[in-house]
Amino acid sequence: ASERIYYDPSRMMEIWDENGPTGMYTVVPDIVDTKNAHAYRLKFPTGFPELPDGSMIVVDTREQPGNQDFVFAEIKGVPSAYKFISRGGDNYLDVGDSRLPLIPMNDDVKIIGVIVYMARSLKR
């Protein structure tokens, strides 16, 4: 009789918050490279329909953001998701609302990492 081998296509990741690891965990698919990554839950509305409040994101802390990448960043200590914009040699963060100006990258802005995976509920 042949033995059945079950493949588990998921990985456990510890959820972080602004203070570090929380002791709570989430499951992500194995396609997500978790080597330099942390999972976070978005606590604030982001302005991006694809990243609503309450979404679980996985952030690669070593990846360098490219133009139009979603990033997780802190502005004056408040973490949220933004779109990274590169124009004419300058870098900005987009808040997802065309009525608001782009945020120039400066000492108030700390990019935590590039968002490489996101999970959300379609119904609440």
Side-chain angles (χ1 to χ4, degrees):
S2 67
E3 185 180 342
R4 285 194 178 162
I5 298 172
Y6 291 95
Y7 171 65
D8 181 2
S10 62
R11 296 185 176 148
M12 296 291 287
M13 281 193 77
E14 190 165 15
I15 299 169
W16 285 48
D17 66 14
E18 56 278 359
N19 300 313
T22 63
M24 296 184 293
Y25 289 81
T26 188
V27 176
V28 298
D30 68 348
I31 59 167
V32 178
D33 181 357
T34 57
K35 190 172 56 197
N36 299 311
H38 298 303
Y40 294 89
R41 184 171 302 282
L42 292 175
K43 295 181 180 177
F44 305 103
T46 66
F48 298 102
E50 52 274 70
L51 291 168
D53 187 9
S55 297
M56 184 64 62
I57 58 171
V58 175
V59 176
D60 187 321
T61 58
R62 296 257 173 97
E63 181 82 24
Q64 289 303 306
N67 193 37
Q68 301 289 322
D69 279 349
F70 282 110
V71 295
F72 191 54
E74 276 182 15
I75 297 180
K76 296 182 180 170
V78 180
S80 190
Y82 301 92
K83 195 173 269 189
F84 185 83
I85 306 291
S86 192
R87 284 198 187 136
D90 293 323
N91 296 325
Y92 304 90
L93 296 182
D94 180 356
V95 297
D97 183 337
S98 59
R99 297 167 298 185
L100 297 173
L102 297 176
I103 299 166
M105 293 294 296
N106 62 32
D107 291 342
D108 289 336
V109 177
K110 176 185 171 225
I111 292 184
I112 298 166
V114 175
I115 298 174
V116 294
Y117 177 78
M118 183 272 296
R120 67 174 191 171
S121 173
L122 295 175
K123 293 270 189 195
R124 291 214 175 183

PDB file of all heavy atoms in Angstrom, residues 46-79:
ATOM      1  N   THR A  46      -7.410  53.214   4.269  1.00  0.00           N
ATOM      2  CA  THR A  46      -6.214  53.562   3.500  1.00  0.00           C
ATOM      3  C   THR A  46      -6.487  54.476   2.317  1.00  0.00           C
ATOM      4  O   THR A  46      -5.559  55.083   1.800  1.00  0.00           O
ATOM      5  CB  THR A  46      -5.532  52.302   2.950  1.00  0.00           C
ATOM      6  OG1 THR A  46      -6.417  51.694   1.997  1.00  0.00           O
ATOM      7  CG2 THR A  46      -5.165  51.328   4.051  1.00  0.00           C
ATOM      8  N   GLY A  47      -7.692  54.557   1.833  1.00  0.00           N
ATOM      9  CA  GLY A  47      -7.959  55.301   0.611  1.00  0.00           C
ATOM     10  C   GLY A  47      -7.856  54.433  -0.630  1.00  0.00           C
ATOM     11  O   GLY A  47      -8.170  54.884  -1.723  1.00  0.00           O
ATOM     12  N   PHE A  48      -7.408  53.175  -0.480  1.00  0.00           N
ATOM     13  CA  PHE A  48      -7.312  52.258  -1.616  1.00  0.00           C
ATOM     14  C   PHE A  48      -8.376  51.171  -1.459  1.00  0.00           C
ATOM     15  O   PHE A  48      -8.377  50.448  -0.462  1.00  0.00           O
ATOM     16  CB  PHE A  48      -5.928  51.596  -1.673  1.00  0.00           C
ATOM     17  CG  PHE A  48      -4.813  52.582  -1.872  1.00  0.00           C
ATOM     18  CD1 PHE A  48      -4.028  52.983  -0.806  1.00  0.00           C
ATOM     19  CD2 PHE A  48      -4.574  53.121  -3.126  1.00  0.00           C
ATOM     20  CE1 PHE A  48      -3.008  53.902  -0.980  1.00  0.00           C
ATOM     21  CE2 PHE A  48      -3.553  54.049  -3.306  1.00  0.00           C
ATOM     22  CZ  PHE A  48      -2.774  54.436  -2.238  1.00  0.00           C
ATOM     23  N   PRO A  49      -9.285  51.031  -2.445  1.00  0.00           N
ATOM     24  CA  PRO A  49     -10.322  49.998  -2.321  1.00  0.00           C
ATOM     25  C   PRO A  49      -9.747  48.589  -2.177  1.00  0.00           C
ATOM     26  O   PRO A  49     -10.337  47.739  -1.523  1.00  0.00           O
ATOM     27  CB  PRO A  49     -11.131  50.121  -3.617  1.00  0.00           C
ATOM     28  CG  PRO A  49     -10.571  51.246  -4.385  1.00  0.00           C
ATOM     29  CD  PRO A  49      -9.382  51.805  -3.664  1.00  0.00           C
ATOM     30  N   GLU A  50      -8.557  48.361  -2.765  1.00  0.00           N
ATOM     31  CA  GLU A  50      -7.969  47.019  -2.689  1.00  0.00           C
ATOM     32  C   GLU A  50      -7.324  46.731  -1.331  1.00  0.00           C
ATOM     33  O   GLU A  50      -6.958  45.605  -1.046  1.00  0.00           O
ATOM     34  CB  GLU A  50      -7.016  46.756  -3.848  1.00  0.00           C
ATOM     35  CG  GLU A  50      -5.922  47.763  -4.111  1.00  0.00           C
ATOM     36  CD  GLU A  50      -6.307  48.946  -5.002  1.00  0.00           C
ATOM     37  OE1 GLU A  50      -7.101  49.808  -4.563  1.00  0.00           O
ATOM     38  OE2 GLU A  50      -5.771  49.047  -6.105  1.00  0.00           O
ATOM     39  N   LEU A  51      -7.168  47.753  -0.477  1.00  0.00           N
ATOM     40  CA  LEU A  51      -6.548  47.582   0.845  1.00  0.00           C
ATOM     41  C   LEU A  51      -7.433  48.204   1.938  1.00  0.00           C
ATOM     42  O   LEU A  51      -7.057  49.182   2.561  1.00  0.00           O
ATOM     43  CB  LEU A  51      -5.161  48.239   0.874  1.00  0.00           C
ATOM     44  CG  LEU A  51      -4.072  47.579   0.050  1.00  0.00           C
ATOM     45  CD1 LEU A  51      -2.862  48.493  -0.058  1.00  0.00           C
ATOM     46  CD2 LEU A  51      -3.676  46.247   0.656  1.00  0.00           C
ATOM     47  N   PRO A  52      -8.613  47.608   2.168  1.00  0.00           N
ATOM     48  CA  PRO A  52      -9.489  48.211   3.172  1.00  0.00           C
ATOM     49  C   PRO A  52      -8.996  47.978   4.600  1.00  0.00           C
ATOM     50  O   PRO A  52      -8.183  47.089   4.860  1.00  0.00           O
ATOM     51  CB  PRO A  52     -10.822  47.508   2.939  1.00  0.00           C
ATOM     52  CG  PRO A  52     -10.457  46.187   2.347  1.00  0.00           C
ATOM     53  CD  PRO A  52      -9.206  46.437   1.537  1.00  0.00           C
ATOM     54  N   ASP A  53      -9.510  48.810   5.492  1.00  0.00           N
ATOM     55  CA  ASP A  53      -9.293  48.686   6.924  1.00  0.00           C
ATOM     56  C   ASP A  53      -9.569  47.240   7.340  1.00  0.00           C
ATOM     57  O   ASP A  53     -10.554  46.653   6.921  1.00  0.00           O
ATOM     58  CB  ASP A  53     -10.291  49.650   7.603  1.00  0.00           C
ATOM     59  CG  ASP A  53     -10.075  49.768   9.078  1.00  0.00           C
ATOM     60  OD1 ASP A  53      -9.071  49.264   9.588  1.00  0.00           O
ATOM     61  OD2 ASP A  53     -10.926  50.386   9.735  1.00  0.00           O
ATOM     62  N   GLY A  54      -8.681  46.643   8.144  1.00  0.00           N
ATOM     63  CA  GLY A  54      -8.868  45.272   8.616  1.00  0.00           C
ATOM     64  C   GLY A  54      -8.181  44.226   7.757  1.00  0.00           C
ATOM     65  O   GLY A  54      -8.129  43.062   8.135  1.00  0.00           O
ATOM     66  N   SER A  55      -7.642  44.623   6.588  1.00  0.00           N
ATOM     67  CA  SER A  55      -6.931  43.664   5.737  1.00  0.00           C
ATOM     68  C   SER A  55      -5.678  43.160   6.442  1.00  0.00           C
ATOM     69  O   SER A  55      -5.071  43.876   7.229  1.00  0.00           O
ATOM     70  CB  SER A  55      -6.485  44.329   4.423  1.00  0.00           C
ATOM     71  OG  SER A  55      -7.567  44.759   3.675  1.00  0.00           O
ATOM     72  N   MET A  56      -5.294  41.934   6.121  1.00  0.00           N
ATOM     73  CA  MET A  56      -4.033  41.376   6.588  1.00  0.00           C
ATOM     74  C   MET A  56      -3.030  41.567   5.459  1.00  0.00           C
ATOM     75  O   MET A  56      -3.301  41.186   4.322  1.00  0.00           O
ATOM     76  CB  MET A  56      -4.196  39.884   6.901  1.00  0.00           C
ATOM     77  CG  MET A  56      -2.965  39.245   7.491  1.00  0.00           C
ATOM     78  SD  MET A  56      -2.508  39.902   9.110  1.00  0.00           S
ATOM     79  CE  MET A  56      -3.941  39.491  10.083  1.00  0.00           C
ATOM     80  N   ILE A  57      -1.891  42.191   5.769  1.00  0.00           N
ATOM     81  CA  ILE A  57      -0.871  42.398   4.742  1.00  0.00           C
ATOM     82  C   ILE A  57       0.418  41.710   5.172  1.00  0.00           C
ATOM     83  O   ILE A  57       0.691  41.561   6.359  1.00  0.00           O
ATOM     84  CB  ILE A  57      -0.607  43.897   4.465  1.00  0.00           C
ATOM     85  CG1 ILE A  57      -0.169  44.635   5.739  1.00  0.00           C
ATOM     86  CG2 ILE A  57      -1.824  44.552   3.823  1.00  0.00           C
ATOM     87  CD1 ILE A  57       0.309  46.059   5.512  1.00  0.00           C
ATOM     88  N   VAL A  58       1.214  41.292   4.181  1.00  0.00           N
ATOM     89  CA  VAL A  58       2.555  40.781   4.432  1.00  0.00           C
ATOM     90  C   VAL A  58       3.511  41.772   3.774  1.00  0.00           C
ATOM     91  O   VAL A  58       3.352  42.129   2.608  1.00  0.00           O
ATOM     92  CB  VAL A  58       2.754  39.363   3.868  1.00  0.00           C
ATOM     93  CG1 VAL A  58       4.200  38.915   4.046  1.00  0.00           C
ATOM     94  CG2 VAL A  58       1.798  38.392   4.560  1.00  0.00           C
ATOM     95  N   VAL A  59       4.470  42.229   4.574  1.00  0.00           N
ATOM     96  CA  VAL A  59       5.382  43.289   4.173  1.00  0.00           C
ATOM     97  C   VAL A  59       6.803  42.743   4.131  1.00  0.00           C
ATOM     98  O   VAL A  59       7.285  42.207   5.127  1.00  0.00           O
ATOM     99  CB  VAL A  59       5.287  44.451   5.200  1.00  0.00           C
ATOM    100  CG1 VAL A  59       6.283  45.538   4.879  1.00  0.00           C
ATOM    101  CG2 VAL A  59       3.871  45.005   5.259  1.00  0.00           C
ATOM    102  N   ASP A  60       7.457  42.862   2.957  1.00  0.00           N
ATOM    103  CA  ASP A  60       8.858  42.468   2.837  1.00  0.00           C
ATOM    104  C   ASP A  60       9.699  43.673   3.265  1.00  0.00           C
ATOM    105  O   ASP A  60       9.680  44.717   2.623  1.00  0.00           O
ATOM    106  CB  ASP A  60       9.179  42.068   1.399  1.00  0.00           C
ATOM    107  CG  ASP A  60      10.588  41.494   1.255  1.00  0.00           C
ATOM    108  OD1 ASP A  60      11.527  42.013   1.912  1.00  0.00           O
ATOM    109  OD2 ASP A  60      10.764  40.541   0.486  1.00  0.00           O
ATOM    110  N   THR A  61      10.424  43.502   4.362  1.00  0.00           N
ATOM    111  CA  THR A  61      11.169  44.620   4.958  1.00  0.00           C
ATOM    112  C   THR A  61      12.488  44.912   4.243  1.00  0.00           C
ATOM    113  O   THR A  61      13.112  45.929   4.522  1.00  0.00           O
ATOM    114  CB  THR A  61      11.453  44.330   6.441  1.00  0.00           C
ATOM    115  OG1 THR A  61      12.192  43.111   6.543  1.00  0.00           O
ATOM    116  CG2 THR A  61      10.162  44.204   7.231  1.00  0.00           C
ATOM    117  N   ARG A  62      12.908  44.036   3.322  1.00  0.00           N
ATOM    118  CA  ARG A  62      14.176  44.252   2.609  1.00  0.00           C
ATOM    119  C   ARG A  62      13.965  44.717   1.172  1.00  0.00           C
ATOM    120  O   ARG A  62      14.871  45.244   0.564  1.00  0.00           O
ATOM    121  CB  ARG A  62      14.996  42.959   2.588  1.00  0.00           C
ATOM    122  CG  ARG A  62      15.423  42.499   3.955  1.00  0.00           C
ATOM    123  CD  ARG A  62      16.885  42.835   4.194  1.00  0.00           C
ATOM    124  NE  ARG A  62      17.286  42.564   5.557  1.00  0.00           N
ATOM    125  CZ  ARG A  62      17.894  41.458   5.940  1.00  0.00           C
ATOM    126  NH1 ARG A  62      18.152  40.511   5.071  1.00  0.00           N
ATOM    127  NH2 ARG A  62      18.240  41.312   7.206  1.00  0.00           N
ATOM    128  N   GLU A  63      12.797  44.466   0.630  1.00  0.00           N
ATOM    129  CA  GLU A  63      12.499  44.828  -0.763  1.00  0.00           C
ATOM    130  C   GLU A  63      12.512  46.347  -0.927  1.00  0.00           C
ATOM    131  O   GLU A  63      11.985  47.079  -0.097  1.00  0.00           O
ATOM    132  CB  GLU A  63      11.107  44.291  -1.114  1.00  0.00           C
ATOM    133  CG  GLU A  63      10.667  44.558  -2.529  1.00  0.00           C
ATOM    134  CD  GLU A  63      11.215  43.580  -3.534  1.00  0.00           C
ATOM    135  OE1 GLU A  63      11.561  42.456  -3.152  1.00  0.00           O
ATOM    136  OE2 GLU A  63      11.309  43.974  -4.695  1.00  0.00           O
ATOM    137  N   GLN A  64      13.120  46.820  -2.004  1.00  0.00           N
ATOM    138  CA  GLN A  64      13.115  48.255  -2.307  1.00  0.00           C
ATOM    139  C   GLN A  64      11.874  48.564  -3.137  1.00  0.00           C
ATOM    140  O   GLN A  64      11.600  47.874  -4.119  1.00  0.00           O
ATOM    141  CB  GLN A  64      14.380  48.638  -3.092  1.00  0.00           C
ATOM    142  CG  GLN A  64      15.645  48.592  -2.270  1.00  0.00           C
ATOM    143  CD  GLN A  64      15.580  49.492  -1.039  1.00  0.00           C
ATOM    144  OE1 GLN A  64      15.298  50.671  -1.129  1.00  0.00           O
ATOM    145  NE2 GLN A  64      15.809  48.910   0.129  1.00  0.00           N
ATOM    146  N   PRO A  65      11.110  49.588  -2.756  1.00  0.00           N
ATOM    147  CA  PRO A  65       9.878  49.868  -3.506  1.00  0.00           C
ATOM    148  C   PRO A  65      10.165  50.417  -4.890  1.00  0.00           C
ATOM    149  O   PRO A  65      11.117  51.178  -5.091  1.00  0.00           O
ATOM    150  CB  PRO A  65       9.168  50.918  -2.648  1.00  0.00           C
ATOM    151  CG  PRO A  65      10.230  51.539  -1.813  1.00  0.00           C
ATOM    152  CD  PRO A  65      11.299  50.499  -1.628  1.00  0.00           C
ATOM    153  N   GLY A  66       9.347  50.000  -5.839  1.00  0.00           N
ATOM    154  CA  GLY A  66       9.387  50.540  -7.190  1.00  0.00           C
ATOM    155  C   GLY A  66       8.165  51.406  -7.421  1.00  0.00           C
ATOM    156  O   GLY A  66       7.220  51.389  -6.620  1.00  0.00           O
ATOM    157  N   ASN A  67       8.165  52.149  -8.505  1.00  0.00           N
ATOM    158  CA  ASN A  67       7.047  53.023  -8.825  1.00  0.00           C
ATOM    159  C   ASN A  67       5.739  52.228  -8.865  1.00  0.00           C
ATOM    160  O   ASN A  67       5.689  51.158  -9.452  1.00  0.00           O
ATOM    161  CB  ASN A  67       7.307  53.705 -10.177  1.00  0.00           C
ATOM    162  CG  ASN A  67       6.353  54.848 -10.421  1.00  0.00           C
ATOM    163  OD1 ASN A  67       5.984  55.582  -9.505  1.00  0.00           O
ATOM    164  ND2 ASN A  67       5.945  55.002 -11.655  1.00  0.00           N
ATOM    165  N   GLN A  68       4.733  52.749  -8.205  1.00  0.00           N
ATOM    166  CA  GLN A  68       3.379  52.171  -8.127  1.00  0.00           C
ATOM    167  C   GLN A  68       3.267  50.975  -7.175  1.00  0.00           C
ATOM    168  O   GLN A  68       2.204  50.376  -7.084  1.00  0.00           O
ATOM    169  CB  GLN A  68       2.851  51.761  -9.519  1.00  0.00           C
ATOM    170  CG  GLN A  68       2.768  52.899 -10.511  1.00  0.00           C
ATOM    171  CD  GLN A  68       1.661  53.892 -10.193  1.00  0.00           C
ATOM    172  OE1 GLN A  68       0.596  53.506  -9.770  1.00  0.00           O
ATOM    173  NE2 GLN A  68       1.935  55.166 -10.377  1.00  0.00           N
ATOM    174  N   ASP A  69       4.333  50.601  -6.479  1.00  0.00           N
ATOM    175  CA  ASP A  69       4.235  49.529  -5.485  1.00  0.00           C
ATOM    176  C   ASP A  69       3.438  50.007  -4.283  1.00  0.00           C
ATOM    177  O   ASP A  69       3.536  51.169  -3.877  1.00  0.00           O
ATOM    178  CB  ASP A  69       5.626  49.109  -4.967  1.00  0.00           C
ATOM    179  CG  ASP A  69       6.349  48.155  -5.888  1.00  0.00           C
ATOM    180  OD1 ASP A  69       5.726  47.632  -6.837  1.00  0.00           O
ATOM    181  OD2 ASP A  69       7.553  47.934  -5.660  1.00  0.00           O
ATOM    182  N   PHE A  70       2.673  49.089  -3.686  1.00  0.00           N
ATOM    183  CA  PHE A  70       2.050  49.394  -2.395  1.00  0.00           C
ATOM    184  C   PHE A  70       3.111  49.208  -1.318  1.00  0.00           C
ATOM    185  O   PHE A  70       3.857  48.222  -1.331  1.00  0.00           O
ATOM    186  CB  PHE A  70       0.866  48.475  -2.112  1.00  0.00           C
ATOM    187  CG  PHE A  70      -0.378  48.872  -2.852  1.00  0.00           C
ATOM    188  CD1 PHE A  70      -0.860  48.098  -3.877  1.00  0.00           C
ATOM    189  CD2 PHE A  70      -1.067  50.034  -2.517  1.00  0.00           C
ATOM    190  CE1 PHE A  70      -2.011  48.452  -4.564  1.00  0.00           C
ATOM    191  CE2 PHE A  70      -2.216  50.409  -3.201  1.00  0.00           C
ATOM    192  CZ  PHE A  70      -2.687  49.610  -4.222  1.00  0.00           C
ATOM    193  N   VAL A  71       3.192  50.152  -0.406  1.00  0.00           N
ATOM    194  CA  VAL A  71       4.136  50.059   0.703  1.00  0.00           C
ATOM    195  C   VAL A  71       3.397  50.264   2.019  1.00  0.00           C
ATOM    196  O   VAL A  71       2.328  50.870   2.056  1.00  0.00           O
ATOM    197  CB  VAL A  71       5.286  51.097   0.587  1.00  0.00           C
ATOM    198  CG1 VAL A  71       6.150  50.826  -0.632  1.00  0.00           C
ATOM    199  CG2 VAL A  71       4.771  52.523   0.581  1.00  0.00           C
ATOM    200  N   PHE A  72       3.990  49.727   3.085  1.00  0.00           N
ATOM    201  CA  PHE A  72       3.513  49.965   4.444  1.00  0.00           C
ATOM    202  C   PHE A  72       4.512  50.936   5.039  1.00  0.00           C
ATOM    203  O   PHE A  72       5.723  50.682   5.031  1.00  0.00           O
ATOM    204  CB  PHE A  72       3.475  48.648   5.213  1.00  0.00           C
ATOM    205  CG  PHE A  72       2.768  48.722   6.538  1.00  0.00           C
ATOM    206  CD1 PHE A  72       1.470  49.201   6.622  1.00  0.00           C
ATOM    207  CD2 PHE A  72       3.381  48.284   7.697  1.00  0.00           C
ATOM    208  CE1 PHE A  72       0.803  49.248   7.848  1.00  0.00           C
ATOM    209  CE2 PHE A  72       2.724  48.323   8.916  1.00  0.00           C
ATOM    210  CZ  PHE A  72       1.427  48.800   8.989  1.00  0.00           C
ATOM    211  N   ALA A  73       4.017  52.091   5.483  1.00  0.00           N
ATOM    212  CA  ALA A  73       4.920  53.140   5.952  1.00  0.00           C
ATOM    213  C   ALA A  73       4.338  53.826   7.176  1.00  0.00           C
ATOM    214  O   ALA A  73       3.127  53.785   7.417  1.00  0.00           O
ATOM    215  CB  ALA A  73       5.158  54.165   4.845  1.00  0.00           C
ATOM    216  N   GLU A  74       5.226  54.440   7.939  1.00  0.00           N
ATOM    217  CA  GLU A  74       4.819  55.251   9.086  1.00  0.00           C
ATOM    218  C   GLU A  74       5.061  56.706   8.754  1.00  0.00           C
ATOM    219  O   GLU A  74       6.144  57.061   8.280  1.00  0.00           O
ATOM    220  CB  GLU A  74       5.674  54.914  10.318  1.00  0.00           C
ATOM    221  CG  GLU A  74       5.218  53.745  11.102  1.00  0.00           C
ATOM    222  CD  GLU A  74       6.090  53.525  12.331  1.00  0.00           C
ATOM    223  OE1 GLU A  74       6.858  54.424  12.733  1.00  0.00           O
ATOM    224  OE2 GLU A  74       5.997  52.425  12.882  1.00  0.00           O
ATOM    225  N   ILE A  75       4.065  57.523   8.995  1.00  0.00           N
ATOM    226  CA  ILE A  75       4.234  58.969   8.865  1.00  0.00           C
ATOM    227  C   ILE A  75       3.957  59.558  10.236  1.00  0.00           C
ATOM    228  O   ILE A  75       2.855  59.386  10.779  1.00  0.00           O
ATOM    229  CB  ILE A  75       3.310  59.560   7.795  1.00  0.00           C
ATOM    230  CG1 ILE A  75       3.678  58.976   6.430  1.00  0.00           C
ATOM    231  CG2 ILE A  75       3.433  61.091   7.779  1.00  0.00           C
ATOM    232  CD1 ILE A  75       2.849  59.462   5.284  1.00  0.00           C
ATOM    233  N   LYS A  76       4.980  60.182  10.804  1.00  0.00           N
ATOM    234  CA  LYS A  76       4.904  60.711  12.173  1.00  0.00           C
ATOM    235  C   LYS A  76       4.391  59.642  13.142  1.00  0.00           C
ATOM    236  O   LYS A  76       3.577  59.903  14.005  1.00  0.00           O
ATOM    237  CB  LYS A  76       4.038  61.968  12.217  1.00  0.00           C
ATOM    238  CG  LYS A  76       4.637  63.099  11.402  1.00  0.00           C
ATOM    239  CD  LYS A  76       3.807  64.360  11.485  1.00  0.00           C
ATOM    240  CE  LYS A  76       4.451  65.461  10.662  1.00  0.00           C
ATOM    241  NZ  LYS A  76       3.624  66.619  10.484  1.00  0.00           N
ATOM    242  N   GLY A  77       4.895  58.400  12.960  1.00  0.00           N
ATOM    243  CA  GLY A  77       4.579  57.315  13.884  1.00  0.00           C
ATOM    244  C   GLY A  77       3.294  56.570  13.629  1.00  0.00           C
ATOM    245  O   GLY A  77       2.985  55.623  14.335  1.00  0.00           O
ATOM    246  N   VAL A  78       2.491  56.972  12.639  1.00  0.00           N
ATOM    247  CA  VAL A  78       1.224  56.293  12.355  1.00  0.00           C
ATOM    248  C   VAL A  78       1.390  55.417  11.116  1.00  0.00           C
ATOM    249  O   VAL A  78       1.665  55.917  10.025  1.00  0.00           O
ATOM    250  CB  VAL A  78       0.086  57.321  12.120  1.00  0.00           C
ATOM    251  CG1 VAL A  78      -1.222  56.603  11.816  1.00  0.00           C
ATOM    252  CG2 VAL A  78      -0.068  58.225  13.334  1.00  0.00           C
ATOM    253  N   PRO A  79       1.236  54.070  11.279  1.00  0.00           N
ATOM    254  CA  PRO A  79       1.440  53.172  10.138  1.00  0.00           C
ATOM    255  C   PRO A  79       0.183  53.044   9.269  1.00  0.00           C
ATOM    256  O   PRO A  79      -0.930  52.983   9.771  1.00  0.00           O
ATOM    257  CB  PRO A  79       1.760  51.833  10.805  1.00  0.00           C
ATOM    258  CG  PRO A  79       1.065  51.893  12.122  1.00  0.00           C
ATOM    259  CD  PRO A  79       1.026  53.344  12.526  1.00  0.00           C
TER     260      PRO A  79
END
